[in-house]
Amino acid sequence: MIVYGDGRRQERSRAKLARVCIGLRRARALPPGIVRHARLVEALIEAGELLQGVADAVGDEVLSYGVTPGVASVTHLTLALARCCLHSWCYGFALAHDEAVEEAVRACAGQSLPAWITVHRCEGYAFYALYPEGHGMAALQVRESGALSGERTRVVGLRSIGTSLAAMVAAGLRAPGFDTLRPQGHPFDRRAGRLPPGGWAPDAAVVDEGPGLSGSSFMAGVEALRLAGVPQPRVHLFPSHGHGPGPAAGVEARLLWREQPVHYLGFEEVAGPDALPPHALTDWVRDRLPGVHGEMQSLSGGAWRAWHGEGAQTLPAQVHMERLKFLLPAEGGDWLMRFAGLGRGGRLACARRHLLAGHGFCPPVQGLWHGFTAERWLAHARPLPLWPAAQQPTRGLLLERLADYLAFRGTRLPAPAAAGATREVLLDMAGHNIGKGLGEDAARAWQDWRAALPTAALVMPLRRVLTDNRLHAWEWLWDGRTLLKADAVDHAVAHDLVGCQPLEWDVAGATVEFGLDAGERHWLMGRLREAGVPVQSSLLALYLPLYAAFQLGSFTMALQAAPDAEKATLSREVRRYGLWVRRVLG
């Protein structure tokens, strides 16, 4: 199934360097604490993305002959920032003397960098609560144990996210520098180029997030080091978790993870319940959220359903795609802590939540603390499907709420023209998912339907907005009086390929999720046009099967990875989306 996207974007390298400088300036203006530390980490992430973009622009083939001045200067900047971040984390969020950072900034400003770079989204920072401090602390522990010495260890980060993570490992090991590589090829069979000359080093470290389904990126890094003269037994692995590679890993990859030394600290040890003060999430917010007491409870991986009462276990949960969430007990009402993303992405998500909450569409947000937002837990609200039919909002009230919500997104949350998948990408996705999920007859019906598409739907300009992308009934909370959207800020910038779309995508979502008939769709489209959103019937007709095909693929993948207890619920959703596809295709 085709579900995921790669999240690439074009940025000016000078603008990227300016963001690093702005982050540093704002950090210096803040008092000691987690908010200031978060600004330092944001500067590190921006520098790591700059390094990734500049190194990719140069290419590993060129870099194998020696690091260029531009790459060297951005590498020094990223390492200097990593040292500042690690110092802040280890010493009560105190600022380090940053002359090295200022010198590195000046060196970068004096280099001839590419005007434009292609930046790959760092998925661990954006979605999976991967904190770079974990890699730095893991390296620090290894150095203190004597297992590795920075002067004798060559650190290699795998681009993309491996640039800033490798900088943190180099900082923890007190290594003088680090290299980066870009593994290429099929996701299950990555290959890497040669490393630049690096002098003699008896030990090495390969740094990245993951491993993923195959572990092939780490394998590529180990092979590159072997070709550079570091024997495999001397290579240490610094991943983001300790589970090893997934089911697509071959025998060689599984042996690698059994035989190599592996060092990591997960979220629980870095900022979760096992973290030491002042690093735990509860320490960050205890003095800022009223009435906080006790230990936080995990709501991740579908655990949120246990807090919604009888029948909640029948609600679908795509546990592999859920963000970290915690319930924090407090007098006067508990708090919901939700991971919004590190750095600039988290700040933008928090701003969107403020905007939506200010207009009554979601619960108010109280602040942002190094990737986590806080909002009141609505103890008496329930997801819409859990209410008996007689107690649910009337159909008219539901349609009014949908119209107001979508009109707000369509007028107040515009998006860049290149912020989401093109129609061609979505059409190819749908054809693939329909063929895989529904068989040859459905695939032929899809080809006939696609061939009959009117030209206007394929060529008309698209007005993209930050679409919700998840209008499922269980995403709406009803307390007997009003409907609130439980999760409304980040699905248009999620790990999947959809991204920001015209508002017709959300109208298609509302149609499928709430079973809107032709008259209800006509009424909804009219209300949106009255609000100033120029929705088009031809685009809605295009997006209806595309939306259903995407959800078919998404829930099929969730089903394949689900434990037995989840399979019946997810199978029901797979069948439902399959029926919608067949209905649209005739």
Side-chain angles (χ1 to χ4, degrees):
M1 293 293 185
I2 296 176
V3 173
Y4 292 105
D6 61 8
R8 301 183 189 186
R9 63 187 185 275
Q10 298 293 311
E11 293 194 40
R12 290 185 181 274
S13 57
R14 295 295 171 186
K16 203 72 171 167
L17 182 59
R19 288 199 185 100
V20 174
C21 298
I22 291 169
L24 286 169
R25 185 166 65 248
R26 289 178 175 168
R28 296 185 188 116
L30 291 168
I34 192 62
V35 176
R36 181 171 73 183
H37 177 81
R39 285 290 189 174
L40 288 176
V41 173
E42 180 175 341
L44 169 67
I45 293 172
E46 296 286 348
E49 290 183 347
L50 175 61
L51 173 56
Q52 171 258 298
V54 172
D56 280 347
V58 174
D60 285 343
E61 183 176 354
V62 173
L63 293 175
S64 67
Y65 295 99
V67 178
T68 64
V71 171
S73 65
V74 184
T75 300
H76 292 153
L77 173 61
T78 309
L79 179 55
L81 285 165
R83 288 168 176 160
C84 284
C85 291
L86 191 58
H87 183 278
S88 171
W89 193 252
C90 291
Y91 295 101
F93 307 126
L95 279 178
H97 297 295
D98 54 1
E99 290 87 354
V101 174
E102 293 299 327
E103 181 181 342
V105 167
R106 289 192 294 270
C108 285
Q111 290 296 328
S112 177
L113 302 176
W116 288 89
I117 55 175
T118 300
V119 176
H120 295 242
R121 179 173 53 202
C122 295
E123 292 157 0
Y125 299 153
F127 311 126
Y128 302 119
L130 170 54
Y131 281 73
E133 296 92 336
H135 278 68
M137 292 303 295
L140 184 61
Q141 292 176 5
V142 172
R143 183 180 64 81
E144 290 176 345
S145 73
L148 283 177
S149 165
E151 295 79 10
R152 295 165 51 85
T153 304
R154 186 170 194 182
V155 179
V156 178
L158 305 181
R159 303 195 296 270
S160 300
I161 197 173
T163 53
S164 48
L165 293 179
M168 290 297 289
V169 169
L173 294 177
R174 295 184 182 172
F178 65 95
D179 299 304
T180 69
L181 278 174
R182 165 68 71 187
Q184 304 274 9
H186 189 278
F188 296 167
D189 187 26
R190 300 288 196 199
R191 294 289 186 267
R194 289 184 173 272
L195 284 161
W200 181 82
D203 297 307
V206 179
V207 188
D208 197 14
E209 65 182 349
L213 292 174
S214 69
S216 66
S217 290
F218 273 98
M219 289 284 296
V222 172
E223 175 63 13
L225 281 163
R226 186 189 68 79
L227 293 175
V230 181
Q232 181 172 317
R234 306 300 297 259
V235 179
H236 293 241
L237 307 181
F238 284 83
S240 58
H241 61 76
H243 309 312
V251 173
E252 191 176 356
R254 295 187 184 281
L255 283 174
L256 178 76
W257 286 92
R258 283 202 292 267
E259 296 174 354
Q260 302 303 116
V262 177
H263 315 285
Y264 74 97
L265 289 177
F267 175 83
E268 292 77 10
E269 295 84 14
V270 177
D274 298 333
L276 297 176
H279 297 141
L281 176 57
T282 49
D283 298 320
W284 305 347
V285 302
R286 195 175 299 277
D287 296 334
R288 295 171 173 85
L289 296 179
V292 170
H293 64 83
E295 298 298 323
M296 62 185 184
Q297 305 290 322
S298 175
L299 301 182
S300 307
W304 51 271
R305 294 173 295 185
W307 297 83
H308 279 304
E310 185 177 356
Q313 286 302 127
T314 63
L315 298 177
Q318 295 172 297
V319 297
H320 66 297
M321 296 185 74
E322 286 191 7
R323 292 172 180 262
L324 280 187
K325 298 182 286 292
F326 297 96
L327 188 67
L328 195 56
E331 297 175 3
D334 298 340
W335 297 97
L336 172 62
M337 309 299 300
R338 187 197 307 267
F339 183 71
L342 298 183
R344 185 160 50 110
R347 288 194 295 104
L348 292 174
C350 186
R352 289 193 294 272
R353 183 165 288 277
H354 271 299
L355 180 63
L356 288 161
H359 288 78
F361 293 115
C362 63
V365 65
Q366 300 299 311
L368 175 69
W369 292 274
H370 199 14
F372 276 87
T373 58
E375 63 192 68
R376 282 292 188 187
W377 173 254
L378 304 180
H380 301 295
R382 296 287 183 271
L384 198 53
L386 297 184
W387 289 81
Q391 299 177 22
Q392 288 188 15
T394 65
R395 192 70 170 178
L397 189 153
L398 172 62
L399 289 172
E400 288 281 355
R401 192 61 164 162
L402 283 171
D404 291 343
Y405 177 65
L406 295 182
F408 183 85
R409 297 196 79 101
T411 55
R412 298 293 298 275
L413 293 174
T422 64
R423 279 168 289 205
E424 291 73 19
V425 167
L426 292 174
L427 285 163
D428 290 344
M429 171 276 297
H432 179 89
N433 289 358
I434 290 169
K436 288 287 186 181
L438 302 179
E440 293 182 3
D441 289 344
R444 284 192 291 270
W446 164 257
Q447 292 300 331
D448 293 341
W449 182 90
R450 182 170 181 173
L453 280 174
T455 303
L458 298 176
V459 300
M460 70 171 56
L462 299 183
R463 181 180 177 272
R464 295 183 187 268
V465 299
L466 277 156
T467 37
D468 181 288
N469 291 6
R470 279 189 70 86
L471 291 174
H472 306 72
W474 59 85
E475 296 273 349
W476 290 89
L477 299 177
W478 170 247
D479 62 3
R481 295 172 301 165
T482 187
L483 276 169
L484 291 173
K485 192 64 173 58
D487 195 0
V489 300
D490 49 31
H491 294 300
V493 287
H495 193 178
D496 61 58
L497 61 80
V498 175
C500 301
Q501 294 294 330
L503 198 65
E504 287 87 350
W505 182 268
D506 273 348
V507 177
T511 299
V512 173
E513 301 305 336
F514 289 101
L516 305 187
D517 61 28
E520 290 170 330
R521 288 200 304 273
H522 180 76
W523 179 89
L524 179 58
M525 299 278 278
R527 277 288 304 273
L528 293 173
R529 292 183 185 118
E530 290 173 6
V533 185
V535 288
Q536 303 293 327
S537 298
S538 56
L539 268 184
L540 174 59
L542 170 67
Y543 284 140
L544 272 170
L546 301 187
Y547 175 88
F550 173 77
Q551 297 294 340
L552 172 68
S554 181
F555 277 88
T556 298
M557 289 187 68
L559 174 62
Q560 292 168 348
D564 290 342
E566 302 282 351
K567 289 188 181 298
T569 299
L570 294 171
S571 295
R572 181 188 69 210
E573 297 304 307
V574 170
R575 289 193 298 272
R576 182 168 71 90
Y577 291 117
L579 287 172
W580 262 103
V581 170
R582 294 183 189 277
R583 182 184 309 174
V584 174
L585 298 184

